[in-house]
Amino acid sequence: MSDAEREGLSERGLSDLLNKAVAEAVECGEGWWWLSFADGGRPTGQQFLGVAVVRAAGLGFAVMRAHALGINPGGEVQGMEIPAACAPPDAMLDHLTTDPARIAELEEQWCEASWAAIGKPRPA
């Protein structure tokens, strides 16, 4: 059994992920990525696994970086690139945050700083 198979990826799945990541890297360049992890197979109320913010060149590389850092809890992942003017708070970088209240607190701080960075008042 290969390392990829032990980690839950088939050789084909790993190859597809790597090909997608390389294509995204060429297109996107490097930036911050918000990754949200969930497992739909868990009971209701236990499906959310956490959020990680990592720097990478595309979503595929962001997922691989999270895995390399040991902060990918498994399950499914959705991600989005964070606008350059809206740098995430240091407390969210390169680790998995699992507490929804802490995530909301960090998002609030981040939102305030992002509006200030672009020089516009935050909408009410």
Side-chain angles (χ1 to χ4, degrees):
M1 178 179 280
S2 72
D3 289 338
E5 290 169 323
R6 276 191 289 281
E7 294 296 328
L9 287 175
S10 67
E11 293 293 330
R12 173 94 172 122
L14 183 59
S15 176
D16 289 347
L17 181 61
L18 185 56
N19 287 334
K20 182 179 178 184
V22 169
E24 288 176 343
V26 170
E27 183 180 322
C28 297
E30 190 170 273
W32 289 107
W33 288 84
W34 173 281
L35 303 175
S36 179
F37 298 93
D39 184 346
R42 291 179 153 212
T44 301
Q46 298 177 18
Q47 296 175 342
F48 174 72
L49 301 177
V51 167
V53 177
V54 297
R55 189 160 184 82
L59 179 58
F61 278 124
V63 173
M64 287 189 281
R65 177 156 171 74
H67 185 76
L69 290 169
I71 60 173
N72 180 340
E76 298 176 18
V77 62
Q78 289 191 6
M80 63 180 263
E81 189 170 15
I82 298 167
C86 302
D90 289 345
M92 292 190 84
L93 305 180
D94 294 337
H95 76 271
L96 183 68
T97 305
T98 58
D99 177 30
R102 177 68 175 145
I103 293 167
E105 176 186 322
L106 290 167
E107 284 178 322
E108 181 65 24
Q109 293 169 10
W110 185 8
C111 188
E112 290 295 330
S114 296
W115 282 107
I118 61 173
K120 293 185 178 183
R122 182 177 177 183

PDB file of all heavy atoms in Angstrom, residues 85-87 89 104-124:
ATOM      1  N   ALA A  85      -5.669  42.672  -0.300  1.00  0.00           N
ATOM      2  CA  ALA A  85      -5.803  43.811   0.618  1.00  0.00           C
ATOM      3  C   ALA A  85      -6.368  43.404   1.972  1.00  0.00           C
ATOM      4  O   ALA A  85      -6.379  44.197   2.896  1.00  0.00           O
ATOM      5  CB  ALA A  85      -6.706  44.876   0.001  1.00  0.00           C
ATOM      6  N   CYS A  86      -6.806  42.172   2.084  1.00  0.00           N
ATOM      7  CA  CYS A  86      -7.476  41.711   3.308  1.00  0.00           C
ATOM      8  C   CYS A  86      -6.662  40.608   3.990  1.00  0.00           C
ATOM      9  O   CYS A  86      -7.123  39.486   4.137  1.00  0.00           O
ATOM     10  CB  CYS A  86      -8.866  41.193   2.978  1.00  0.00           C
ATOM     11  SG  CYS A  86      -9.907  42.408   2.172  1.00  0.00           S
ATOM     12  N   ALA A  87      -5.444  40.936   4.379  1.00  0.00           N
ATOM     13  CA  ALA A  87      -4.574  39.940   5.012  1.00  0.00           C
ATOM     14  C   ALA A  87      -5.230  39.371   6.264  1.00  0.00           C
ATOM     15  O   ALA A  87      -5.755  40.116   7.084  1.00  0.00           O
ATOM     16  CB  ALA A  87      -3.235  40.566   5.360  1.00  0.00           C
ATOM     17  N   PRO A  89      -5.650  37.627  10.023  1.00  0.00           N
ATOM     18  CA  PRO A  89      -4.916  37.816  11.275  1.00  0.00           C
ATOM     19  C   PRO A  89      -3.941  36.661  11.516  1.00  0.00           C
ATOM     20  O   PRO A  89      -4.216  35.516  11.135  1.00  0.00           O
ATOM     21  CB  PRO A  89      -6.017  37.843  12.338  1.00  0.00           C
ATOM     22  CG  PRO A  89      -7.211  37.251  11.707  1.00  0.00           C
ATOM     23  CD  PRO A  89      -7.073  37.411  10.227  1.00  0.00           C
ATOM     24  N   ALA A 104     -15.533  33.069  14.664  1.00  0.00           N
ATOM     25  CA  ALA A 104     -16.364  34.273  14.526  1.00  0.00           C
ATOM     26  C   ALA A 104     -15.638  35.496  15.080  1.00  0.00           C
ATOM     27  O   ALA A 104     -15.678  36.581  14.481  1.00  0.00           O
ATOM     28  CB  ALA A 104     -17.701  34.074  15.233  1.00  0.00           C
ATOM     29  N   GLU A 105     -14.956  35.340  16.207  1.00  0.00           N
ATOM     30  CA  GLU A 105     -14.197  36.446  16.816  1.00  0.00           C
ATOM     31  C   GLU A 105     -13.070  36.907  15.880  1.00  0.00           C
ATOM     32  O   GLU A 105     -12.885  38.105  15.650  1.00  0.00           O
ATOM     33  CB  GLU A 105     -13.616  35.970  18.148  1.00  0.00           C
ATOM     34  CG  GLU A 105     -12.736  36.952  18.857  1.00  0.00           C
ATOM     35  CD  GLU A 105     -12.101  36.318  20.097  1.00  0.00           C
ATOM     36  OE1 GLU A 105     -12.774  35.539  20.792  1.00  0.00           O
ATOM     37  OE2 GLU A 105     -10.923  36.610  20.338  1.00  0.00           O
ATOM     38  N   LEU A 106     -12.335  35.967  15.326  1.00  0.00           N
ATOM     39  CA  LEU A 106     -11.242  36.311  14.407  1.00  0.00           C
ATOM     40  C   LEU A 106     -11.774  36.934  13.125  1.00  0.00           C
ATOM     41  O   LEU A 106     -11.183  37.876  12.593  1.00  0.00           O
ATOM     42  CB  LEU A 106     -10.398  35.075  14.111  1.00  0.00           C
ATOM     43  CG  LEU A 106      -9.556  34.568  15.278  1.00  0.00           C
ATOM     44  CD1 LEU A 106      -9.007  33.179  14.980  1.00  0.00           C
ATOM     45  CD2 LEU A 106      -8.432  35.539  15.599  1.00  0.00           C
ATOM     46  N   GLU A 107     -12.900  36.409  12.630  1.00  0.00           N
ATOM     47  CA  GLU A 107     -13.511  36.983  11.420  1.00  0.00           C
ATOM     48  C   GLU A 107     -13.912  38.432  11.654  1.00  0.00           C
ATOM     49  O   GLU A 107     -13.753  39.273  10.776  1.00  0.00           O
ATOM     50  CB  GLU A 107     -14.735  36.167  10.998  1.00  0.00           C
ATOM     51  CG  GLU A 107     -14.411  34.869  10.324  1.00  0.00           C
ATOM     52  CD  GLU A 107     -15.667  34.093   9.967  1.00  0.00           C
ATOM     53  OE1 GLU A 107     -16.643  34.109  10.756  1.00  0.00           O
ATOM     54  OE2 GLU A 107     -15.669  33.479   8.902  1.00  0.00           O
ATOM     55  N   GLU A 108     -14.442  38.730  12.823  1.00  0.00           N
ATOM     56  CA  GLU A 108     -14.860  40.094  13.148  1.00  0.00           C
ATOM     57  C   GLU A 108     -13.653  41.034  13.147  1.00  0.00           C
ATOM     58  O   GLU A 108     -13.693  42.114  12.547  1.00  0.00           O
ATOM     59  CB  GLU A 108     -15.565  40.129  14.506  1.00  0.00           C
ATOM     60  CG  GLU A 108     -16.059  41.496  14.900  1.00  0.00           C
ATOM     61  CD  GLU A 108     -17.149  42.057  13.999  1.00  0.00           C
ATOM     62  OE1 GLU A 108     -17.860  41.278  13.348  1.00  0.00           O
ATOM     63  OE2 GLU A 108     -17.281  43.296  13.949  1.00  0.00           O
ATOM     64  N   GLN A 109     -12.571  40.629  13.791  1.00  0.00           N
ATOM     65  CA  GLN A 109     -11.349  41.445  13.795  1.00  0.00           C
ATOM     66  C   GLN A 109     -10.824  41.624  12.379  1.00  0.00           C
ATOM     67  O   GLN A 109     -10.407  42.717  11.987  1.00  0.00           O
ATOM     68  CB  GLN A 109     -10.264  40.772  14.643  1.00  0.00           C
ATOM     69  CG  GLN A 109     -10.577  40.703  16.107  1.00  0.00           C
ATOM     70  CD  GLN A 109      -9.593  39.793  16.839  1.00  0.00           C
ATOM     71  OE1 GLN A 109      -8.581  39.365  16.298  1.00  0.00           O
ATOM     72  NE2 GLN A 109      -9.916  39.492  18.090  1.00  0.00           N
ATOM     73  N   TRP A 110     -10.854  40.560  11.632  1.00  0.00           N
ATOM     74  CA  TRP A 110     -10.350  40.557  10.262  1.00  0.00           C
ATOM     75  C   TRP A 110     -11.185  41.478   9.384  1.00  0.00           C
ATOM     76  O   TRP A 110     -10.669  42.241   8.588  1.00  0.00           O
ATOM     77  CB  TRP A 110     -10.388  39.130   9.766  1.00  0.00           C
ATOM     78  CG  TRP A 110      -9.803  38.861   8.433  1.00  0.00           C
ATOM     79  CD1 TRP A 110      -9.087  39.720   7.629  1.00  0.00           C
ATOM     80  CD2 TRP A 110      -9.848  37.628   7.746  1.00  0.00           C
ATOM     81  NE1 TRP A 110      -8.710  39.076   6.492  1.00  0.00           N
ATOM     82  CE2 TRP A 110      -9.165  37.794   6.540  1.00  0.00           C
ATOM     83  CE3 TRP A 110     -10.415  36.400   8.028  1.00  0.00           C
ATOM     84  CZ2 TRP A 110      -9.017  36.757   5.618  1.00  0.00           C
ATOM     85  CZ3 TRP A 110     -10.267  35.387   7.107  1.00  0.00           C
ATOM     86  CH2 TRP A 110      -9.578  35.570   5.928  1.00  0.00           C
ATOM     87  N   CYS A 111     -12.495  41.424   9.551  1.00  0.00           N
ATOM     88  CA  CYS A 111     -13.397  42.252   8.760  1.00  0.00           C
ATOM     89  C   CYS A 111     -13.125  43.733   9.020  1.00  0.00           C
ATOM     90  O   CYS A 111     -13.033  44.532   8.085  1.00  0.00           O
ATOM     91  CB  CYS A 111     -14.835  41.887   9.097  1.00  0.00           C
ATOM     92  SG  CYS A 111     -16.047  42.684   8.030  1.00  0.00           S
ATOM     93  N   GLU A 112     -12.995  44.096  10.296  1.00  0.00           N
ATOM     94  CA  GLU A 112     -12.706  45.492  10.636  1.00  0.00           C
ATOM     95  C   GLU A 112     -11.401  45.939   9.995  1.00  0.00           C
ATOM     96  O   GLU A 112     -11.308  47.018   9.411  1.00  0.00           O
ATOM     97  CB  GLU A 112     -12.622  45.673  12.158  1.00  0.00           C
ATOM     98  CG  GLU A 112     -13.934  45.543  12.878  1.00  0.00           C
ATOM     99  CD  GLU A 112     -14.935  46.626  12.511  1.00  0.00           C
ATOM    100  OE1 GLU A 112     -14.537  47.752  12.175  1.00  0.00           O
ATOM    101  OE2 GLU A 112     -16.142  46.326  12.559  1.00  0.00           O
ATOM    102  N   ALA A 113     -10.357  45.123  10.110  1.00  0.00           N
ATOM    103  CA  ALA A 113      -9.049  45.469   9.542  1.00  0.00           C
ATOM    104  C   ALA A 113      -9.108  45.542   8.017  1.00  0.00           C
ATOM    105  O   ALA A 113      -8.466  46.402   7.401  1.00  0.00           O
ATOM    106  CB  ALA A 113      -8.003  44.443   9.981  1.00  0.00           C
ATOM    107  N   SER A 114      -9.896  44.675   7.395  1.00  0.00           N
ATOM    108  CA  SER A 114     -10.004  44.667   5.935  1.00  0.00           C
ATOM    109  C   SER A 114     -10.675  45.932   5.424  1.00  0.00           C
ATOM    110  O   SER A 114     -10.220  46.527   4.444  1.00  0.00           O
ATOM    111  CB  SER A 114     -10.792  43.437   5.463  1.00  0.00           C
ATOM    112  OG  SER A 114     -10.095  42.267   5.792  1.00  0.00           O
ATOM    113  N   TRP A 115     -11.750  46.359   6.081  1.00  0.00           N
ATOM    114  CA  TRP A 115     -12.415  47.592   5.660  1.00  0.00           C
ATOM    115  C   TRP A 115     -11.480  48.781   5.842  1.00  0.00           C
ATOM    116  O   TRP A 115     -11.412  49.668   5.002  1.00  0.00           O
ATOM    117  CB  TRP A 115     -13.730  47.803   6.411  1.00  0.00           C
ATOM    118  CG  TRP A 115     -14.825  46.948   5.857  1.00  0.00           C
ATOM    119  CD1 TRP A 115     -15.368  45.845   6.428  1.00  0.00           C
ATOM    120  CD2 TRP A 115     -15.478  47.096   4.596  1.00  0.00           C
ATOM    121  NE1 TRP A 115     -16.322  45.291   5.604  1.00  0.00           N
ATOM    122  CE2 TRP A 115     -16.411  46.048   4.477  1.00  0.00           C
ATOM    123  CE3 TRP A 115     -15.366  48.009   3.549  1.00  0.00           C
ATOM    124  CZ2 TRP A 115     -17.228  45.882   3.363  1.00  0.00           C
ATOM    125  CZ3 TRP A 115     -16.186  47.847   2.437  1.00  0.00           C
ATOM    126  CH2 TRP A 115     -17.095  46.799   2.344  1.00  0.00           C
ATOM    127  N   ALA A 116     -10.720  48.785   6.936  1.00  0.00           N
ATOM    128  CA  ALA A 116      -9.770  49.872   7.168  1.00  0.00           C
ATOM    129  C   ALA A 116      -8.679  49.866   6.098  1.00  0.00           C
ATOM    130  O   ALA A 116      -8.264  50.926   5.609  1.00  0.00           O
ATOM    131  CB  ALA A 116      -9.157  49.747   8.561  1.00  0.00           C
ATOM    132  N   ALA A 117      -8.225  48.675   5.691  1.00  0.00           N
ATOM    133  CA  ALA A 117      -7.150  48.556   4.704  1.00  0.00           C
ATOM    134  C   ALA A 117      -7.563  49.105   3.342  1.00  0.00           C
ATOM    135  O   ALA A 117      -6.736  49.658   2.616  1.00  0.00           O
ATOM    136  CB  ALA A 117      -6.708  47.101   4.568  1.00  0.00           C
ATOM    137  N   ILE A 118      -8.840  48.956   3.007  1.00  0.00           N
ATOM    138  CA  ILE A 118      -9.278  49.468   1.698  1.00  0.00           C
ATOM    139  C   ILE A 118      -9.815  50.886   1.795  1.00  0.00           C
ATOM    140  O   ILE A 118     -10.237  51.478   0.801  1.00  0.00           O
ATOM    141  CB  ILE A 118     -10.302  48.521   1.021  1.00  0.00           C
ATOM    142  CG1 ILE A 118     -11.566  48.365   1.860  1.00  0.00           C
ATOM    143  CG2 ILE A 118      -9.669  47.180   0.717  1.00  0.00           C
ATOM    144  CD1 ILE A 118     -12.669  47.577   1.171  1.00  0.00           C
ATOM    145  N   GLY A 119      -9.786  51.444   3.008  1.00  0.00           N
ATOM    146  CA  GLY A 119     -10.150  52.841   3.195  1.00  0.00           C
ATOM    147  C   GLY A 119     -11.618  53.173   3.039  1.00  0.00           C
ATOM    148  O   GLY A 119     -11.989  54.262   2.628  1.00  0.00           O
ATOM    149  N   LYS A 120     -12.469  52.225   3.360  1.00  0.00           N
ATOM    150  CA  LYS A 120     -13.911  52.455   3.264  1.00  0.00           C
ATOM    151  C   LYS A 120     -14.573  52.115   4.587  1.00  0.00           C
ATOM    152  O   LYS A 120     -14.102  51.228   5.311  1.00  0.00           O
ATOM    153  CB  LYS A 120     -14.520  51.586   2.159  1.00  0.00           C
ATOM    154  CG  LYS A 120     -14.065  51.966   0.781  1.00  0.00           C
ATOM    155  CD  LYS A 120     -14.796  51.163  -0.253  1.00  0.00           C
ATOM    156  CE  LYS A 120     -14.352  51.599  -1.655  1.00  0.00           C
ATOM    157  NZ  LYS A 120     -15.081  50.886  -2.671  1.00  0.00           N
ATOM    158  N   PRO A 121     -15.671  52.792   4.900  1.00  0.00           N
ATOM    159  CA  PRO A 121     -16.382  52.430   6.137  1.00  0.00           C
ATOM    160  C   PRO A 121     -17.073  51.077   5.966  1.00  0.00           C
ATOM    161  O   PRO A 121     -17.515  50.727   4.882  1.00  0.00           O
ATOM    162  CB  PRO A 121     -17.409  53.554   6.303  1.00  0.00           C
ATOM    163  CG  PRO A 121     -17.574  54.121   4.945  1.00  0.00           C
ATOM    164  CD  PRO A 121     -16.277  53.912   4.206  1.00  0.00           C
ATOM    165  N   ARG A 122     -17.120  50.341   7.044  1.00  0.00           N
ATOM    166  CA  ARG A 122     -17.794  49.048   7.016  1.00  0.00           C
ATOM    167  C   ARG A 122     -19.290  49.266   6.907  1.00  0.00           C
ATOM    168  O   ARG A 122     -19.863  50.073   7.640  1.00  0.00           O
ATOM    169  CB  ARG A 122     -17.461  48.290   8.289  1.00  0.00           C
ATOM    170  CG  ARG A 122     -18.082  46.917   8.329  1.00  0.00           C
ATOM    171  CD  ARG A 122     -17.648  46.201   9.570  1.00  0.00           C
ATOM    172  NE  ARG A 122     -18.316  44.913   9.618  1.00  0.00           N
ATOM    173  CZ  ARG A 122     -18.199  44.075  10.603  1.00  0.00           C
ATOM    174  NH1 ARG A 122     -17.427  44.362  11.617  1.00  0.00           N
ATOM    175  NH2 ARG A 122     -18.843  42.943  10.586  1.00  0.00           N
ATOM    176  N   PRO A 123     -19.952  48.525   6.011  1.00  0.00           N
ATOM    177  CA  PRO A 123     -21.415  48.651   5.899  1.00  0.00           C
ATOM    178  C   PRO A 123     -22.077  48.207   7.207  1.00  0.00           C
ATOM    179  O   PRO A 123     -21.582  47.325   7.897  1.00  0.00           O
ATOM    180  CB  PRO A 123     -21.791  47.688   4.770  1.00  0.00           C
ATOM    181  CG  PRO A 123     -20.526  47.378   4.052  1.00  0.00           C
ATOM    182  CD  PRO A 123     -19.410  47.590   5.033  1.00  0.00           C
ATOM    183  N   ALA A 124     -23.194  48.822   7.499  1.00  0.00           N
ATOM    184  CA  ALA A 124     -23.915  48.480   8.737  1.00  0.00           C
ATOM    185  C   ALA A 124     -24.652  47.186   8.594  1.00  0.00           C
ATOM    186  O   ALA A 124     -24.967  46.700   7.590  1.00  0.00           O
ATOM    187  CB  ALA A 124     -24.909  49.596   9.072  1.00  0.00           C
TER     188      ALA A 124
END
